[in-house]
Amino acid sequence: MTIAVDFDGTIVEHRYPEIGEEIPFAIDTLKMLIKDRHKLILWTVRTGKLLDEAVEWCRQRGVEFYATNKDYPEEKRENNPHYSRKLNTIDYFIDDRNIGGLPDWGTIYRMVSHKRTWYDLINEELRNASLTPHEDTKKKKPWWKL
């Protein structure tokens, strides 16, 4: 799969234009996704020097992106007559601005590796939870029928 990943607020805490602290397990999860042969695209508002710093920050931690802010590494305005800042070849976006926010990176990995949606995971959790009422909440016979 091809997965676009935001930087600020997703891989690192929001400190733009500085680089914040890593969000727990972000780098480890990205490495696992790369190992699983997914193509990761860094998709961020950062450009120029700030983008270079973010890419280098990730590279120093062992995360090499397939592309940054484009669909494929060779993409340029000159060689793509339909060039757009909107990505066209993405299976997933991982971004802290998702409705509902950013799930933890373990959940993100489960979603990608098992091809599950957030909705699927919530329903699985509900099915796995004990659906039988607890003893104290079971409907009891009225005292006059005892």
Side-chain angles (χ1 to χ4, degrees):
M1 283 190 260
T2 304
I3 304 166
V5 184
D6 179 38
F7 187 70
D8 296 287
T10 303
I11 297 173
V12 298
E13 296 172 351
H14 277 287
R15 297 288 185 267
Y16 184 87
E18 288 83 30
I19 294 177
E21 294 294 317
E22 177 192 348
I23 292 181
F25 306 107
I27 292 296
D28 289 337
T29 304
L30 294 173
K31 287 181 189 179
M32 289 175 17
L33 291 171
I34 292 168
K35 185 180 176 196
D36 293 347
R37 304 179 62 93
H38 297 288
K39 292 179 184 176
L40 301 185
I41 296 174
L42 182 63
W43 187 248
T44 176
V45 298
R46 290 175 178 257
T47 59
K49 181 178 181 262
L50 295 177
L51 177 60
D52 294 341
E53 290 171 355
V55 169
E56 184 57 28
W57 186 92
C58 292
R59 185 176 290 128
Q60 287 175 0
R61 287 153 182 82
V63 174
E64 296 274 345
F65 291 97
Y66 169 71
T68 55
N69 288 345
K70 49 191 164 185
D71 281 301
Y72 51 92
E74 303 80 21
E75 183 180 35
K76 295 181 181 151
R77 289 180 193 260
E78 305 83 57
N79 67 3
N80 183 353
H82 305 291
Y83 178 82
S84 168
R85 270 284 285 156
K86 186 170 185 163
L87 295 173
N88 298 310
T89 61
I90 302 303
D91 296 300
Y92 286 112
F93 281 97
I94 301 174
D95 193 317
D96 62 307
R97 303 291 177 165
N98 293 324
I99 292 178
L102 183 71
D104 66 81
W105 279 94
T107 300
I108 291 169
Y109 185 77
R110 281 180 48 212
M111 291 170 71
V112 173
S113 63
H114 298 272
K115 297 181 180 167
R116 310 296 286 162
T117 66
W118 185 240
Y119 181 79
D120 294 335
L121 293 181
I122 290 170
N123 281 330
E124 286 171 14
E125 289 296 320
L126 290 173
R127 278 193 302 274
N128 292 335
S130 172
L131 299 178
T132 57
H134 295 292
E135 200 57 42
D136 60 341
T137 61
K138 286 185 180 176
K139 191 165 184 162
K140 296 179 181 175
K141 290 182 183 177
W143 62 268
W144 63 86
K145 292 188 177 182
L146 292 175

